[in-house]
Amino acid sequence: MATTKTHHKDSWDTIHKNGPFPLKIIQITNLAGETKFPNKLDRYNDATSEIQKLIREAKTNGDGFRAYGSRWSLSDIAHQKDRMHYNGYMNLHIPVNAEDQHSQSPYDIENLFYFQCGNTIKEISHQLEEHGKSIMTSGASNGQTIAGCISTGVHGSAIDVGSIQDFVRGIHIITGPNPEDSIYIERNTKPALNDAFAQKINARIIRNDELFKAALVSLGSFGFIHGVLIEGEDLFLLKRYVRKIDKQTALQLATTMDFANSDFTIPEEVDQNGKGLRPFHYKVFINQYSDENEYVVEFMYKKNYETPYPDPFPIIKQSLYKDLIYLFIKIAEKFPKKIPKLVKALRKTILPAVNEVTTGTLAETFWDAGYQGPAFACSFGVAHEDSERTLEVLAKLTNDEGPFPGIFAMRFIKKSEATLAFSKFPITCMIEIDGVLWKESRKLMSLEKYGRRMIEVLKENNIPFTIHWGKNADWAFPGLVDHMFGAEATKWMKIRSTLLSEDMHTLFSNDFLDRTGLSKREATDDTLIANLPIT
């Protein structure tokens, strides 16, 4: 049988030390051993029973309950002041067979994989590679759990792919302590697995597009995500180039996405007419304190998988440009505990010219995080057409009212179908500001005030925006969620209110939801969570 250890704690913190936050209890569940349950499905179902027991205990004690994985978020979105459950040991991979596929499924059964909530992106990538497959996109690193990734909408780095939740095809959510509270959710327009599979995992099935899209980015508040069905694709390679190019050319590419007619091309990545090819990934690194005329940019191009190819790790391991937080920390190491000297140094050209070229799989390219100490990260999503104007507005704020110990970058991702995905624009530009945590002083405003001022200046300049749910921001800013999502936020709250009983609605809420207003209980409507006919 699955066993849970309970540890009484006073506090909990993120991996980047953005807390600490108050806490009563951490619970850690270990799965039953293979000798007890040789069949993976039996171990999985036994874990469902264990989680429902923990939910029942939390309800009896009047406590909130929330799962967490790798503690990757820099906001307190994963925090619950009463009971938190660590998912890291719940990492089964359950094979999906032809007999499990729905007769009207549009997916290739060889591309469908079912993972328990605690599997990290790194573990999933390894499992898929054994089958000659890959996930479709990845964040900047690979340590997050799959349930945590989709709950916060972790975005990838691909212009035409989307975010992590966009290759999820089914979700198993435990919404309470009762047998009927084990629910497997899919789209009714694109069913993947049949009713028999749902019965195998002791779940009742609901096929409903709107419910599915709301549950994709649920902020951990629709219940305990126990398992996810993902779609992979054939293993592929990414050829990665890091270059310094003219600033205006980099910004023009950002606002137009017109790589074919750009003044800049990579000679190896052009068509038969010499026109630049559209990359898989485009990222711009920006030192907002410097007047330099060039930006460091990162291009990646998708290639067919073939071996041999050059080992990417010698370069990837030492590359400054693999993660923005890592990049800044490497710079900050030269100025330990001397923020003013660091900021003064930033006014010079500190981003070295590079000519990196690597080839590797997605998992090799977006590899282990290089830094897990104190850090902050703010990330705003805007339409890519607004990217240059947004950068100008936020950089001006940072220079005029700062300085702050961080630098900027821009990444570009396809619109997500999830109701509350921050990647809501057709091509969303994520403007990232990452750096080291600092203490408020006479010369440095607080991180909280900086977050508030960024929201204010974007609103003053009429730039529509969203904010990455897992990043630092003034999440208590009045009307913020309504401003970002409008009617979609109301729909999301109605679906959540209908899906969860009143006591579970409270149990799966937390301070983050209260602060954003998303914990409000709306009038219920059973049609929102109805099991719909397949169309």
Side-chain angles (χ1 to χ4, degrees):
M1 304 291 285
T3 57
T4 299
K5 294 180 180 179
T6 297
H7 304 274
H8 295 273
K9 299 283 185 179
D10 295 323
S11 63
W12 177 88
D13 209 345
T14 70
I15 202 167
H16 290 305
K17 312 299 181 186
N18 303 106
F21 305 103
L23 179 65
K24 294 180 183 177
I25 290 172
I26 282 181
Q27 294 177 310
I28 303 173
T29 295
N30 286 282
L31 301 178
E34 291 184 38
T35 53
K36 178 70 175 177
F37 292 125
N39 185 289
K40 285 185 177 181
L41 272 171
D42 291 339
R43 297 175 73 200
Y44 181 90
N45 292 334
D46 177 60
T48 297
S49 299
E50 179 69 8
I51 295 302
Q52 289 196 298
K53 184 188 80 173
L54 299 179
I55 292 172
R56 189 178 300 112
E57 290 176 357
K59 176 186 174 183
T60 299
N61 286 277
D63 287 337
F65 182 84
R66 177 160 285 246
Y68 77 94
S70 300
R71 301 182 295 135
W72 223 262
S73 292
L74 293 99
S75 69
D76 63 340
I77 191 168
H79 170 250
Q80 221 300 334
K81 62 182 177 59
D82 298 326
R83 297 180 181 224
M84 298 185 68
H85 184 276
Y86 173 64
N87 286 354
Y89 299 135
M90 301 177 70
N91 58 354
L92 290 173
H93 164 227
I94 297 174
V96 177
N97 303 309
E99 65 183 28
D100 300 316
Q101 188 172 27
H102 195 279
S103 60
Q104 294 176 250
S105 170
Y107 309 110
D108 184 339
I109 191 65
E110 293 184 354
N111 288 336
L112 296 179
F113 299 85
Y114 193 87
F115 289 97
Q116 199 174 21
C117 55
N119 279 279
T120 64
I121 297 300
K122 185 174 185 176
E123 289 172 322
I124 290 172
S125 294
H126 285 166
Q127 284 284 350
L128 265 62
E129 188 165 348
E130 289 182 2
H131 297 268
K133 303 294 180 179
S134 171
I135 59 175
M136 296 180 180
T137 189
S138 170
S141 50
N142 60 12
Q144 310 98 318
T145 60
I146 184 63
C149 276
I150 66 174
S151 293
T152 55
V154 168
H155 61 86
S157 302
I159 297 170
D160 298 316
V161 177
S163 303
I164 303 298
Q165 71 271 5
D166 292 309
F167 56 79
V168 171
R169 303 295 176 244
I171 312 172
H172 177 206
I173 302 182
I174 302 170
T175 62
N178 304 312
E180 65 271 19
D181 296 330
S182 176
I183 303 169
Y184 178 71
I185 305 169
E186 291 186 342
R187 292 179 176 87
N188 66 294
T189 57
K190 293 181 179 179
L193 302 182
N194 54 33
D195 293 16
F197 178 84
Q199 292 169 5
K200 286 182 182 179
I201 60 172
N202 294 338
R204 63 185 177 96
I205 197 160
I206 302 178
R207 294 192 181 91
N208 183 310
D209 277 40
E210 294 306 312
L211 170 59
F212 181 78
K213 289 189 288 187
L216 277 177
V217 178
S218 65
L219 315 184
S221 68
F222 273 43
F224 187 102
I225 297 175
H226 192 192
V228 295
L229 178 73
I230 69 168
E231 182 185 14
E233 63 176 295
D234 289 344
L235 199 60
F236 59 90
L237 296 175
L238 291 174
K239 191 163 186 181
R240 169 181 175 266
Y241 304 83
V242 182
R243 299 282 189 269
K244 263 195 172 182
I245 70 172
D246 177 73
K247 173 180 176 179
Q248 289 307 312
T249 300
L251 293 176
Q252 185 180 46
L253 286 172
T255 56
T256 66
M257 293 282 109
D258 185 3
F259 297 92
N261 296 302
S262 173
D263 292 337
F264 174 81
T265 58
I266 294 174
E268 300 93 330
E269 306 297 342
V270 296
D271 65 17
Q272 59 186 5
N273 298 314
K275 297 284 190 178
L277 298 175
R278 186 177 180 85
F280 174 86
H281 160 97
Y282 177 60
K283 183 172 182 178
V284 185
F285 295 87
I286 301 147
N287 175 11
Q288 73 278 6
Y289 294 115
S290 172
D291 292 330
E292 56 195 309
N293 294 319
E294 292 182 314
Y295 284 157
V296 174
V297 296
E298 182 180 64
F299 297 88
M300 295 182 197
Y301 295 85
K302 196 171 182 178
K303 308 291 184 181
N304 292 331
Y305 182 78
E306 55 184 32
T307 57
Y309 57 88
D311 180 5
F313 285 121
I315 296 176
I316 291 290
K317 284 181 178 180
Q318 299 182 31
S319 173
L320 283 176
Y321 300 104
K322 64 179 179 179
D323 180 73
L324 187 58
I325 288 179
Y326 176 75
L327 165 63
F328 193 83
I329 295 301
K330 294 300 289 184
I331 297 167
E333 284 175 353
K334 298 178 182 180
F335 308 93
K337 300 182 180 181
K338 296 180 180 178
I339 298 294
K341 287 187 177 180
L342 170 60
V343 172
K344 184 177 180 180
L346 288 175
R347 301 192 186 282
K348 302 175 183 178
T349 301
I350 59 165
L351 302 183
V354 286
N355 194 26
E356 289 181 1
V357 180
T358 59
T359 300
T361 64
L362 181 80
E364 290 169 337
T365 302
F366 295 98
W367 195 54
D368 294 350
Y371 178 75
Q372 298 182 2
F376 82 92
C378 303
S379 190
F380 289 83
V382 298
H384 79 91
E385 296 92 343
D386 289 332
S387 57
E388 182 176 1
R389 187 162 65 104
T390 306
L391 177 64
E392 180 181 337
V393 165
L394 294 180
K396 184 176 188 302
L397 166 70
T398 303
N399 276 281
D400 292 352
E401 300 185 30
F404 307 102
I407 55 176
F408 283 59
M410 297 192 294
R411 275 198 278 176
F412 301 85
I413 49 175
K414 182 183 176 181
K415 174 182 172 67
S416 173
E417 291 188 5
T419 308
L420 284 192
F422 50 78
S423 47
K424 75 171 193 176
F425 305 98
I427 296 179
T428 300
C429 171
M430 297 305 301
I431 296 191
E432 305 169 332
I433 310 100
D434 291 2
V436 294
L437 286 171
W438 73 90
K439 292 183 179 180
E440 182 180 11
S441 68
R442 183 174 57 85
K443 294 183 178 180
L444 293 170
M445 74 167 70
S446 67
L447 175 58
E448 292 75 16
K449 186 175 180 181
Y450 183 42
R452 181 165 65 254
R453 288 292 297 132
M454 286 191 285
I455 293 170
E456 288 172 347
V457 297
L458 290 177
K459 292 186 70 175
E460 289 164 6
N461 285 273
N462 298 313
I463 299 175
F465 68 90
T466 57
I467 303 176
H468 190 309
W469 294 110
K471 299 293 182 75
N472 302 112
D474 181 8
W475 289 109
F477 192 95
L480 177 62
V481 169
D482 182 61
H483 179 79
M484 294 192 296
F485 293 101
E488 292 297 287
T490 302
K491 180 202 297 183
W492 185 91
M493 288 189 287
K494 285 183 177 180
I495 290 174
R496 178 173 183 257
S497 298
T498 307
L499 180 69
L500 300 177
S501 64
E502 189 168 353
D503 52 357
M504 291 299 107
H505 191 272
T506 300
L507 182 141
F508 287 114
S509 292
N510 67 349
D511 290 343
F512 183 89
L513 255 69
D514 292 341
R515 240 178 8 263
T516 57
L518 286 168
S519 62
K520 178 184 176 183
R521 189 160 177 83
E522 295 281 352
T524 61
D525 180 353
D526 287 341
T527 63
L528 295 172
I529 64 166
N531 186 26
L532 299 178
I534 294 170
T535 58

